[in-house]
Amino acid sequence: MFEIVKRDGLARIGRFETKSGVLETPALLPVINPKICTVTPRELCDEFAFSAIITNSYIIKNTPELKAKAQEIGLHEMLDFPGIIMTDSGTFQSHMYGEVEVTNEEIVEFQKSIGTDIGTVLDIFTEPHWTKDQTAESIEVTLERTEKACEIKGDMMINGVVQGSVYPDLREYCARKMADMDADVHPIGGVVPLMEQYRYSELVDVVMSSKRGLNPSRPVHLFGAGHPMVLALAVLMGCDLFDSASYAKFARDDRMMFIDGTCRLQDMQSLGCNCPACRGLTLESLKKTDKKKKTAIIARHNLYQITDELALIKRYVREGRLWELTETRCRAHPAMLDALRELKKHREFMEKYDPISRDGAMFYTGTETRGRPVFGRYLSRIQDRYIPATDKAAIFYDGGSKPYSRARPADFDRVRRSGYTPVVISPFGPVPAELDEVYPIAQSVFPQAEDTDTQIESKSSAAELLERKFTETVDGMDVPDDGTEEYDADTIRAKAVSRYQFGTEATDALFVGKIELVISKNTGKIRNVISDGKHILSMRAGDGLYTLKKDGADRIVSAIRTPFMRVRVADDAIPFVSEGRNVFCQFVTECDENLRPMEEAIVTDGHDRVIATGRMAMTAYEIKSFKKGVAVKVRSGAGDET
Ligand code: GUN
Ligand code: ZN
């Protein structure tokens, strides 16, 4: 059973329950070669705190002493590892050395007989150079074998491996078929050659097309990815599990892993590492160490690099900043930068999963930042949902200080008195003054010196919006200070934010009769919106977006047909949810597919009556797939809490 605890991009911090304990994801499973233990499983557990490892059942089965021992005392005792053990099936050996002498059923049964927690099908490794026909044919065999493995798995979990070489449509097809089977984890296989050859942008397409087809409620394992350099990107794309044989393999030939690549000991100018394995050593002393001890030190160094990076990745996911870390990491190698640029092609798919807001500021790290879903989302929302208060625009430029209307109140007032709407050309594109406090506009930090991509893109998207929404556009500095028109900036803002967040139809339903705004005395910001005597919305100071109150939800539900903004729950959940408890996915019977994580949602009963309001913790598709976990974080509904 898998549960999402925290998310960012497609990344998730998850809880994966197995019969040997709970694994927090993202997690890396060090590979144990049962014949050569460079670092013992016991040390991996006690010293490095790994809660899961992976070993090879094919090697064990083909080594008589190991086979007998494993079947007699079980894999956990044989390896002296109390945590979770995953085993592979021999597929990788067939990739390396040709045919293997075992059938799918034999190796699955064998894995069961030695007490593996997560066993692997004997899938067919689809090589990157294979033709499409050859790949398609072999996928059918892998699918049949997976079906069989799921039938006979017993209480062992099964890895259903997604294959498909470099063909995105075959990857997605294979993933979709796998999603319908009773597999427990989905490794993405056949990618080792891509990583060895630095073909990271193809890796992006392979992972993303597999993710499109997979069931989101199962962990995804990226088979053979264990270099710290690729982990942030892989986690951002929604990979939960990794395995590394390289930590030991590289150590045996004096190669040290670092976050920015791998270095051969003989080519290094200095050691420059203070990990527990290297501490106190110099390059010279390490070079002089005898082979066995040196291998042990480097293997440990490599493991520390991996564990440090994973810990950092988790921190960034928790802070909602994994895009920033990934963009930084992808500058370690031009091939990684290609991968990051390739990821932009998947922006629309990622947007469905990308949280609508986050705590803290969004940092721009370079032109690739423009590939993040927030950019596309902002532009499509203002194009679709923005209605200007006047039909004339006055243009200003981003001076770095935000929110814009607080940075230049006199200028904005001057143009408004002449009937113009101030529009700032920002790195996000055009920002009407009334939207300058919503996430991510006010919560983003850009370098003062703009790059060419930003200049070109923000100008062209601004031109498009101005053309579509206004009849006249002037430079804000050219508007004389003699206007006398009256305007109510707060009410304009209150409606504009509502349209941006909920759409125009919902806004028409929400804003009826007399509108009163409660403004914070300290900040001057809108706090509550009262419409026709009812408190319908509260604005959060942090992201400038609304929380929806019960009275507001009632209006939307009366005006707009279900499933708009709805999460409908089963009768047995209603008493709990009405008391303010969260909605769990197993109780959801219907959900609006357009709701994004962190978006406001209306919880309804079977008669479309409002039970509560809250914020989405998952997407509709995830809610349908998951057996466990919070679908909507419900707020009690009382008072004007935000
Ligand atoms: N190890 C690395 N790649 C693969 C793969 O594609 N399948 C299996 N079973 N193991 C692997
Ligand atoms: Zn080190």
Side-chain angles (χ1 to χ4, degrees), residues 183-242:
D184 302 273
V185 177
H186 290 295
I188 297 174
V191 295
V192 169
L194 295 180
M195 291 185 285
E196 283 171 351
Q197 297 161 31
Y198 284 67
R199 292 162 69 177
Y200 295 121
S201 81
E202 284 165 280
L203 181 71
V204 164
D205 294 332
V206 162
V207 171
M208 295 307 290
S209 51
S210 305
K211 284 291 289 186
R212 281 172 205 268
L214 283 173
N215 176 335
S217 73
R218 296 177 187 162
V220 174
H221 181 146
L222 192 59
F223 250 150
H227 199 294
M229 187 167 82
V230 303
L231 290 178
L233 175 65
V235 172
L236 180 69
M237 293 192 292
C239 298
D240 309 292
L241 303 174
F242 305 91

Side-chain angles (χ1 to χ4, degrees), residues 88-92 120-121 123 125 161 163 188-192 223-224 243:
D88 203 350
S89 56
T91 299
F92 197 66
T120 305
V121 174
D123 53 313
F125 196 103
V161 187
Q163 292 289 353
I188 297 174
V191 295
V192 169
F223 250 150
D243 62 282

